[in-house]
Amino acid sequence: MRTVLVVDDFASIRKVIVDTLKRHGFNTVEASDGKDALDTLKSSETTIDLVLSDYNMPVMNGFQLLQAVKGDDELKHHPVVLLTSEKANDKKMMAKKAGLDAWVEKPYKIDNFINLLNYTIEKSKKNGSV
């Protein structure tokens, strides 16, 4: 079973995402901000197949988390998807350059969202990432 690290500073949003992922056969691990997610990635006993993060969060935002993951030799193999209401094209371009695997704008269609996550995990496994 695939495991997704869900990162969002709003517990209610995390719960909706976690419930959706569980209904579609994923295991989940939760983090409340980028720093919490980074600590979880470094210490988790569970193999995390994908990081799904909000963009706008306190302490460490999604872009800073992306930079930290892709800049760490131990973590850079993890695919990162940003799920956000952020629409700024310059932020999307910066994230792509930093190694982002996918950008999903809220609201999203659940089937497309799940297919994207599965595709991203499969792609990273084929590339020897995860």
Side-chain angles (χ1 to χ4, degrees), residues 15-122:
K15 181 178 180 352
V16 168
I17 295 168
V18 164
D19 289 350
T20 299
L21 292 175
K22 286 182 176 178
R23 278 196 317 275
H24 287 86
F26 290 89
N27 283 330
T28 59
V29 178
E30 297 180 49
S32 59
D33 60 50
K35 183 181 179 325
D36 187 22
L38 205 52
D39 292 344
T40 299
L41 279 171
K42 289 179 178 180
S43 65
S44 182
E45 302 282 320
T46 305
T47 299
I48 294 173
D49 298 296
L50 183 133
V51 178
L52 177 64
S53 178
D54 186 20
Y55 190 99
N56 295 304
M57 296 179 292
V59 184
M60 178 187 276
N61 68 34
F63 181 71
Q64 292 165 324
L65 171 61
L66 169 67
Q67 289 178 305
V69 169
K70 297 302 180 179
D72 185 312
D73 286 340
E74 298 292 314
L75 303 177
K76 66 182 179 187
H77 64 278
H78 288 91
V80 178
V81 174
L82 290 176
L83 174 63
T84 181
S85 54
E86 182 65 58
K87 297 185 184 316
N89 281 331
D90 61 325
K91 290 182 180 177
K92 289 180 192 177
M93 297 305 289
M94 284 176 33
K96 254 326 196 192
K97 285 181 183 169
L100 183 69
D101 292 274
W103 181 286
V104 179
E105 284 186 23
K106 298 175 192 172
Y108 54 88
K109 291 188 177 354
I110 291 175
D111 289 345
N112 293 347
F113 174 63
I114 296 299
N115 288 339
L116 175 73
L117 296 185
N118 282 319
Y119 171 79
T120 302
I121 292 169
E122 282 305 310

